[in-house]
Amino acid sequence: MLLAGGQGSRLYPLTKKIAKPALYFGGKYRIIDFPLSNCTNSGIDTVGVLTQYQPLELNDYIGNGQPWDLDRNQGGAHVLPPYQKNSGSDWFKGTANAIYQNLHFIEKYKAKYVLILSGDHIYKMDYGKMLDAHIAKGADCTIAVMDVPLEEAPRFGIMTTDEEGRITDFEEKPPHPTSTKASMGIYVFSYDMMKKYLEQDEQDPSSDNDFGKNVIPAMLRDGCGMYAYEFEGYWKDVGTLSSLWEANMDLLNRRNGLNLDDSFWKIYYRHNEKHPHYIGKNARITHSIIAEGCEVDGTVENSVLFAGVHVEKGAVVKDSVIFPECQVGENANVFYSILDHNVNVQEGAFVGGEREKASGKITVVAENVLIGEGGRVAAGTIQEEDVPSLERKE
């Protein structure tokens, strides 16, 4: 069960019109490609995708699940939005409530075990190994964990375990963590036990209906068999502008631990029907990813360009992530920025600033925005409206 209904408010304006799992990543992917591909590579052939916020583009992208080999007569990929029932209609009130509202879907397939995933993380993971560990220990719930720096621990659900990996304490986003074992938001449940606690949680009017805040602590208090499954590898929660930028930049490091060239664990995606990229005679490209359909006749350094991006003669793109169909005109500059879909930076315009001087403040330009000739977008700005051309003095 893939939770893909998040708004991603900390990525605003990039998620103003689309759900976070549908956001572009790495030159040719969407974020949701990673958990879907992990399911396929792990031998999971029945996936419920729970959508809610701005689902149109995400639903269209998933389609019948064909790119991930999930177009099946039995099972396959199923988009599961909130719906109206005899008793009325409800939005998903939390992660636990989202699964509760879709228990009938799980029961249709007579599942003994249920894997709960988030749709907004970048990683490669064999869920089969986690399920094997769950079964071997006779667990009621198994939670994927990884060690994080102590200063980052307050962002996560943090747990303490004994020598056998059994969880002895769990706290959601503690201000003063006593452990660095962070929940990755990946759970395996034995179905009967999960159903019992979801129904119990639904009866509590004070509950946030959330796995981390409510269901897992309740199971732990009752002495259920709760175990940690330690994950070693690349994993990134791309919930902020800085983490999204960093994850894209990580792809420029061939030793990043993600290895998208792995033929045994491919990341599948819905293909763009674009022509091969074209590099002009004036182009200078270093340490960058250039997707299909791009045309580059300027300078691109340490950047990720998605399909259909044009960088014209004399233009400079540096330390930036450029989403599809953007235009960077002659002698324009884009530094330390994220440009959303179909941004037009016209001749001589300047967006952002040198990374070394920006104090970690990434410049973001919303989709379809026009930066007029000679226009300026200051470093660290979130630009959502067109910027007029500077008046030319005769």
Side-chain angles (χ1 to χ4, degrees):
M1 300 293 280
L2 180 50
L3 298 165
Q7 179 177 354
S9 57
R10 292 177 297 169
L11 289 167
Y12 195 84
L14 301 180
T15 53
K16 186 175 182 179
K17 296 182 179 179
I18 65 171
K20 182 164 59 168
L23 201 62
Y24 298 104
F25 177 78
K28 64 193 306 181
Y29 306 102
R30 306 283 186 123
I31 295 173
I32 200 169
D33 289 330
F34 289 82
L36 283 176
S37 297
N38 287 338
C39 286
T40 295
N41 291 326
S42 300
I44 297 171
D45 59 12
T46 303
V47 181
V49 184
L50 287 73
T51 62
Q52 180 159 278
Y53 172 80
Q54 295 283 15
L56 181 61
E57 188 164 346
L58 180 60
N59 294 355
D60 184 60
Y61 184 74
I62 294 172
N64 66 353
Q66 185 273 333
W68 308 273
D69 194 28
L70 291 171
D71 51 336
R72 308 293 183 95
N73 290 330
Q74 296 294 324
H78 296 258
V79 175
L80 304 172
Y83 60 93
Q84 187 168 359
K85 300 175 280 292
N86 290 335
S87 58
S89 59
D90 281 317
W91 290 111
F92 297 146
K93 293 178 286 186
T95 55
N97 176 257
I99 302 300
Y100 172 81
Q101 289 197 41
N102 287 281
L103 289 177
H104 65 284
F105 172 79
I106 301 171
E107 290 173 345
K108 175 182 176 181
Y109 293 99
K110 299 179 174 62
K112 290 179 64 178
Y113 306 101
V114 181
L115 174 70
I116 310 292
L117 303 173
S118 296
D120 51 7
H121 299 160
I122 304 297
Y123 65 111
K124 291 163 57 177
M125 182 178 181
D126 187 346
Y127 303 133
K129 292 181 179 179
M130 183 176 176
L131 176 60
D132 290 343
H134 177 87
I135 295 171
K137 292 184 177 179
D140 296 314
C141 174
T142 300
I143 304 175
V145 303
M146 66 183 303
D147 276 319
V148 297
L150 185 61
E151 61 271 16
E152 292 186 19
R155 294 174 47 215
F156 300 94
I158 297 297
M159 64 201 73
T160 304
T161 61
D162 63 19
E163 61 277 4
E164 295 181 356
R166 186 167 184 137
I167 300 170
T168 57
D169 186 52
F170 180 91
E171 189 175 1
E172 182 72 2
K173 299 180 180 178
H176 304 291
T178 57
S179 168
T180 57
K181 289 186 177 179
S183 169
M184 298 169 63
I186 300 170
Y187 315 115
V188 173
F189 285 96
S190 296
Y191 176 68
D192 290 342
M193 189 64 72
M194 183 189 76
K195 180 181 179 182
K196 171 185 173 181
Y197 278 88
L198 287 180
E199 290 176 340
Q200 176 180 303
D201 180 69
E202 196 65 22
Q203 299 305 312
D204 181 359
S206 66
S207 175
D208 292 313
N209 304 122
D210 183 83
F211 278 110
K213 293 179 182 178
N214 307 110
V215 174
I216 291 171
M219 293 180 70
L220 196 59
R221 284 194 301 269
D222 291 349
C224 294
M226 313 281 287
Y227 288 87
Y229 177 81
E230 297 199 17
F231 174 75
E232 294 181 0
Y234 184 93
W235 179 82
K236 196 88 164 183
D237 179 351
V238 286
T240 64
L241 292 172
S242 59
S243 63
L244 177 65
W245 182 89
E246 289 167 2
N248 276 279
M249 292 297 109
D250 286 344
L251 297 181
L252 301 179
N253 177 5
R254 286 302 186 183
R255 297 182 180 179
N256 59 36
L258 193 57
N259 186 16
L260 297 180
D261 296 329
D262 186 353
S263 60
F264 296 101
W265 202 273
K266 292 183 179 180
I267 302 301
Y268 301 97
Y269 62 101
R270 189 170 292 282
H271 289 262
N272 293 307
E273 296 179 356
K274 292 285 186 181
H275 59 81
H277 64 247
Y278 169 77
I279 308 301
K281 64 180 180 180
N282 300 299
R284 178 178 177 271
I285 301 174
T286 56
H287 199 237
S288 297
I289 292 173
I290 311 296
E292 61 266 38
C294 290
E295 296 184 10
V296 179
D297 203 29
T299 298
V300 179
E301 299 179 12
N302 200 55
S303 295
V304 177
L305 272 56
F306 286 74
V309 172
H310 288 199
V311 180
E312 297 184 15
K313 180 181 177 181
V316 178
V317 175
K318 183 178 179 182
D319 296 326
S320 295
V321 180
I322 313 297
F323 284 6
E325 310 300 336
C326 289
Q327 309 286 321
V328 183
E330 286 193 21
N331 301 312
N333 292 270
V334 179
F335 288 175
Y336 193 39
S337 298
I338 300 175
L339 304 190
D340 203 346
H341 175 264
N342 197 38
V343 170
N344 189 339
V345 182
Q346 295 193 332
E347 181 179 351
F350 203 110
V351 177
E354 291 284 356
R355 179 184 172 192
E356 295 77 10
K357 300 177 182 179
S359 302
K361 295 181 179 179
I362 300 166
T363 305
V364 180
V365 181
E367 67 172 352
N368 301 320
V369 166
L370 172 69
I371 311 298
E373 291 187 23
R376 296 290 186 268
V377 178
T381 300
I382 294 180
Q383 186 69 40
E384 299 185 67
E385 299 179 349
D386 291 348
V387 175
S389 301
L390 292 181
E391 293 185 7
R392 295 183 179 275
K393 294 183 180 180
E394 298 296 333

Short mmCIF file of all heavy atoms in Angstrom, two decimals, residues 46-72:
data_model
loop_
_atom_site.label_atom_id
_atom_site.label_comp_id
_atom_site.label_asym_id
_atom_site.label_seq_id
_atom_site.Cartn_x
_atom_site.Cartn_y
_atom_site.Cartn_z
N THR A 46 0.93 -6.64 -6.59
CA THR A 46 -0.35 -6.00 -6.28
C THR A 46 -0.05 -4.77 -5.42
O THR A 46 0.42 -4.91 -4.29
CB THR A 46 -1.30 -6.95 -5.53
OG1 THR A 46 -1.49 -8.12 -6.32
CG2 THR A 46 -2.63 -6.28 -5.28
N VAL A 47 -0.33 -3.59 -5.96
CA VAL A 47 0.02 -2.33 -5.29
C VAL A 47 -1.19 -1.41 -5.31
O VAL A 47 -1.73 -1.09 -6.38
CB VAL A 47 1.21 -1.63 -5.99
CG1 VAL A 47 1.57 -0.34 -5.25
CG2 VAL A 47 2.41 -2.56 -6.05
N GLY A 48 -1.62 -0.98 -4.14
CA GLY A 48 -2.64 0.05 -4.03
C GLY A 48 -1.96 1.38 -3.82
O GLY A 48 -1.16 1.55 -2.90
N VAL A 49 -2.24 2.36 -4.71
CA VAL A 49 -1.64 3.69 -4.62
C VAL A 49 -2.70 4.64 -4.09
O VAL A 49 -3.68 4.95 -4.78
CB VAL A 49 -1.11 4.17 -5.98
CG1 VAL A 49 -0.42 5.52 -5.84
CG2 VAL A 49 -0.14 3.15 -6.57
N LEU A 50 -2.53 5.12 -2.87
CA LEU A 50 -3.53 5.96 -2.21
C LEU A 50 -3.25 7.42 -2.51
O LEU A 50 -2.21 7.96 -2.10
CB LEU A 50 -3.52 5.71 -0.70
CG LEU A 50 -4.14 4.38 -0.25
CD1 LEU A 50 -3.23 3.20 -0.59
CD2 LEU A 50 -4.41 4.38 1.24
N THR A 51 -4.15 8.05 -3.26
CA THR A 51 -3.96 9.43 -3.68
C THR A 51 -4.98 10.32 -3.00
O THR A 51 -6.03 9.87 -2.55
CB THR A 51 -4.10 9.56 -5.20
OG1 THR A 51 -5.43 9.19 -5.59
CG2 THR A 51 -3.10 8.67 -5.93
N GLN A 52 -4.68 11.62 -2.94
CA GLN A 52 -5.63 12.57 -2.36
C GLN A 52 -5.38 13.97 -2.88
O GLN A 52 -6.20 14.53 -3.61
CB GLN A 52 -5.54 12.54 -0.83
CG GLN A 52 -6.52 13.51 -0.14
CD GLN A 52 -6.78 13.13 1.30
OE1 GLN A 52 -7.60 12.27 1.59
NE2 GLN A 52 -6.08 13.78 2.23
N TYR A 53 -4.23 14.56 -2.57
CA TYR A 53 -3.94 15.95 -2.95
C TYR A 53 -3.58 16.05 -4.43
O TYR A 53 -2.68 15.33 -4.90
CB TYR A 53 -2.81 16.50 -2.08
CG TYR A 53 -2.32 17.86 -2.51
CD1 TYR A 53 -3.02 19.01 -2.14
CD2 TYR A 53 -1.18 17.99 -3.28
CE1 TYR A 53 -2.58 20.25 -2.54
CE2 TYR A 53 -0.73 19.24 -3.68
CZ TYR A 53 -1.42 20.37 -3.32
OH TYR A 53 -0.99 21.60 -3.72
N GLN A 54 -4.23 16.92 -5.17
CA GLN A 54 -3.93 17.19 -6.59
C GLN A 54 -3.54 15.91 -7.33
O GLN A 54 -2.41 15.76 -7.82
CB GLN A 54 -2.80 18.22 -6.69
CG GLN A 54 -3.13 19.59 -6.15
CD GLN A 54 -4.00 20.41 -7.10
OE1 GLN A 54 -4.59 19.87 -8.02
NE2 GLN A 54 -4.09 21.71 -6.86
N PRO A 55 -4.47 14.96 -7.47
CA PRO A 55 -4.08 13.64 -7.99
C PRO A 55 -4.04 13.51 -9.50
O PRO A 55 -3.59 12.49 -10.00
CB PRO A 55 -5.19 12.75 -7.41
CG PRO A 55 -6.40 13.63 -7.39
CD PRO A 55 -5.88 15.02 -7.04
N LEU A 56 -4.52 14.51 -10.26
CA LEU A 56 -4.72 14.32 -11.69
C LEU A 56 -3.45 13.88 -12.42
O LEU A 56 -3.44 12.88 -13.14
CB LEU A 56 -5.27 15.61 -12.32
CG LEU A 56 -5.54 15.55 -13.83
CD1 LEU A 56 -6.58 14.48 -14.14
CD2 LEU A 56 -6.00 16.91 -14.34
N GLU A 57 -2.36 14.64 -12.24
CA GLU A 57 -1.14 14.31 -12.97
C GLU A 57 -0.55 12.99 -12.49
O GLU A 57 -0.03 12.20 -13.28
CB GLU A 57 -0.11 15.44 -12.82
CG GLU A 57 1.11 15.25 -13.71
CD GLU A 57 1.93 16.52 -13.86
OE1 GLU A 57 1.44 17.61 -13.51
OE2 GLU A 57 3.07 16.42 -14.35
N LEU A 58 -0.63 12.72 -11.18
CA LEU A 58 -0.12 11.46 -10.64
C LEU A 58 -0.92 10.28 -11.20
O LEU A 58 -0.34 9.26 -11.62
CB LEU A 58 -0.18 11.47 -9.12
CG LEU A 58 0.32 10.22 -8.40
CD1 LEU A 58 1.78 9.96 -8.72
CD2 LEU A 58 0.13 10.34 -6.90
N ASN A 59 -2.24 10.40 -11.20
CA ASN A 59 -3.07 9.33 -11.74
C ASN A 59 -2.76 9.08 -13.21
O ASN A 59 -2.68 7.93 -13.67
CB ASN A 59 -4.56 9.69 -11.59
CG ASN A 59 -5.00 9.74 -10.14
OD1 ASN A 59 -4.24 9.42 -9.24
ND2 ASN A 59 -6.23 10.18 -9.93
N ASP A 60 -2.61 10.15 -13.96
CA ASP A 60 -2.31 10.03 -15.38
C ASP A 60 -0.95 9.37 -15.59
O ASP A 60 -0.78 8.55 -16.50
CB ASP A 60 -2.33 11.42 -16.03
CG ASP A 60 -2.12 11.36 -17.53
OD1 ASP A 60 -2.92 10.72 -18.22
OD2 ASP A 60 -1.15 11.98 -18.02
N TYR A 61 0.01 9.72 -14.75
CA TYR A 61 1.36 9.16 -14.88
C TYR A 61 1.37 7.67 -14.57
O TYR A 61 1.98 6.87 -15.29
CB TYR A 61 2.32 9.89 -13.94
CG TYR A 61 3.76 9.44 -14.08
CD1 TYR A 61 4.52 9.81 -15.18
CD2 TYR A 61 4.35 8.63 -13.12
CE1 TYR A 61 5.83 9.40 -15.33
CE2 TYR A 61 5.67 8.21 -13.25
CZ TYR A 61 6.40 8.60 -14.36
OH TYR A 61 7.70 8.17 -14.50
N ILE A 62 0.68 7.25 -13.52
CA ILE A 62 0.65 5.83 -13.16
C ILE A 62 -0.11 5.02 -14.22
O ILE A 62 0.32 3.94 -14.62
CB ILE A 62 0.00 5.64 -11.78
CG1 ILE A 62 0.87 6.28 -10.69
CG2 ILE A 62 -0.20 4.15 -11.47
CD1 ILE A 62 0.22 6.32 -9.33
N GLY A 63 -1.23 5.57 -14.69
CA GLY A 63 -2.02 4.88 -15.71
C GLY A 63 -2.40 3.48 -15.28
O GLY A 63 -2.88 3.25 -14.17
N ASN A 64 -2.13 2.52 -16.15
CA ASN A 64 -2.45 1.12 -15.82
C ASN A 64 -1.26 0.38 -15.22
O ASN A 64 -1.31 -0.84 -15.04
CB ASN A 64 -2.95 0.38 -17.07
CG ASN A 64 -1.87 0.24 -18.13
OD1 ASN A 64 -0.78 0.80 -18.01
ND2 ASN A 64 -2.17 -0.51 -19.19
N GLY A 65 -0.17 1.11 -14.91
CA GLY A 65 0.99 0.50 -14.27
C GLY A 65 1.95 -0.19 -15.22
O GLY A 65 2.90 -0.85 -14.77
N GLN A 66 1.75 -0.03 -16.52
CA GLN A 66 2.55 -0.77 -17.50
C GLN A 66 4.06 -0.53 -17.39
O GLN A 66 4.84 -1.49 -17.48
CB GLN A 66 2.05 -0.43 -18.91
CG GLN A 66 2.72 -1.24 -20.02
CD GLN A 66 4.01 -0.59 -20.51
OE1 GLN A 66 4.16 0.63 -20.41
NE2 GLN A 66 4.94 -1.40 -21.00
N PRO A 67 4.55 0.71 -17.19
CA PRO A 67 6.01 0.89 -17.13
C PRO A 67 6.69 0.08 -16.03
O PRO A 67 7.88 -0.21 -16.13
CB PRO A 67 6.16 2.40 -16.88
CG PRO A 67 4.90 3.00 -17.41
CD PRO A 67 3.83 1.99 -17.09
N TRP A 68 5.94 -0.26 -14.97
CA TRP A 68 6.51 -0.99 -13.84
C TRP A 68 6.07 -2.46 -13.84
O TRP A 68 6.19 -3.15 -12.83
CB TRP A 68 6.10 -0.32 -12.53
CG TRP A 68 6.42 1.13 -12.53
CD1 TRP A 68 7.60 1.73 -12.18
CD2 TRP A 68 5.56 2.19 -12.96
NE1 TRP A 68 7.54 3.07 -12.35
CE2 TRP A 68 6.30 3.40 -12.84
CE3 TRP A 68 4.25 2.25 -13.43
CZ2 TRP A 68 5.76 4.64 -13.18
CZ3 TRP A 68 3.72 3.48 -13.78
CH2 TRP A 68 4.46 4.66 -13.64
N ASP A 69 5.56 -2.92 -14.99
CA ASP A 69 5.06 -4.30 -15.14
C ASP A 69 3.95 -4.58 -14.13
O ASP A 69 3.84 -5.67 -13.59
CB ASP A 69 6.21 -5.31 -14.97
CG ASP A 69 5.83 -6.71 -15.43
OD1 ASP A 69 4.97 -6.83 -16.32
OD2 ASP A 69 6.38 -7.69 -14.87
N LEU A 70 3.11 -3.58 -13.90
CA LEU A 70 2.00 -3.73 -12.96
C LEU A 70 0.65 -3.63 -13.67
O LEU A 70 -0.36 -3.26 -13.07
CB LEU A 70 2.11 -2.68 -11.85
CG LEU A 70 3.27 -2.86 -10.87
CD1 LEU A 70 3.42 -1.65 -9.96
CD2 LEU A 70 3.11 -4.13 -10.05
N ASP A 71 0.64 -3.93 -14.97
CA ASP A 71 -0.62 -3.97 -15.72
C ASP A 71 -1.07 -5.43 -15.78
O ASP A 71 -0.86 -6.12 -16.76
CB ASP A 71 -0.45 -3.38 -17.11
CG ASP A 71 0.73 -3.97 -17.88
OD1 ASP A 71 1.67 -4.48 -17.24
OD2 ASP A 71 0.70 -3.93 -19.14
N ARG A 72 -1.69 -5.88 -14.70
CA ARG A 72 -2.04 -7.29 -14.54
C ARG A 72 -3.55 -7.50 -14.57
O ARG A 72 -4.31 -6.62 -14.18
CB ARG A 72 -1.50 -7.82 -13.19
CG ARG A 72 -0.03 -7.56 -12.92
CD ARG A 72 0.86 -8.36 -13.86
NE ARG A 72 2.27 -8.17 -13.57
CZ ARG A 72 2.99 -9.00 -12.80
NH1 ARG A 72 2.40 -10.04 -12.23
NH2 ARG A 72 4.27 -8.77 -12.60
#
